[in-house]
Amino acid sequence: MSEAASSFVAYLFKQGFAKIVIEANVDNIGSNRVIEKVGFTFTHLEHKEHCSSFKPEPIDVNWYELRNENYGH
């Protein structure tokens, strides 16, 4: 999965994006690992009272960012 994520990140940077931000539910350990493996840096934790109509209960999410100049691929 991290190879697909890396390819997508590389594509976005080639399209001219300077920074990519992403969030993942703190309980989704696999997604958080992939995000970190691709090179994203944790920025902050956010508590969301209402995520969506499909997931009405409160959740905590980790926010990450990756800047083009810090991407090594």
Side-chain angles (χ1 to χ4, degrees):
M1 182 55 106
S2 60
E3 293 159 1
S6 292
S7 294
F8 186 60
V9 165
Y11 171 79
L12 291 175
F13 285 143
K14 286 179 186 174
Q15 297 305 306
F17 288 89
K19 177 174 80 169
I20 302 168
V21 293
I22 191 168
E23 68 175 41
N25 187 316
V26 296
D27 295 330
N28 191 332
I29 296 168
S31 289
N32 284 279
R33 284 187 183 153
V34 168
I35 291 166
E36 291 171 355
K37 187 174 181 179
V38 169
F40 283 81
T41 302
F42 175 81
T43 59
H44 65 280
L45 176 71
E46 179 182 359
H47 180 76
K48 291 187 171 189
E49 286 298 327
H50 181 75
C51 186
S52 73
S53 57
F54 299 106
K55 195 168 190 79
E57 67 272 3
I59 64 167
D60 292 326
V61 295
N62 289 326
W63 279 92
Y64 299 88
E65 75 173 33
L66 180 59
R67 295 181 180 274
N68 192 357
E69 66 264 16
N70 297 334
Y71 188 63
H73 296 326

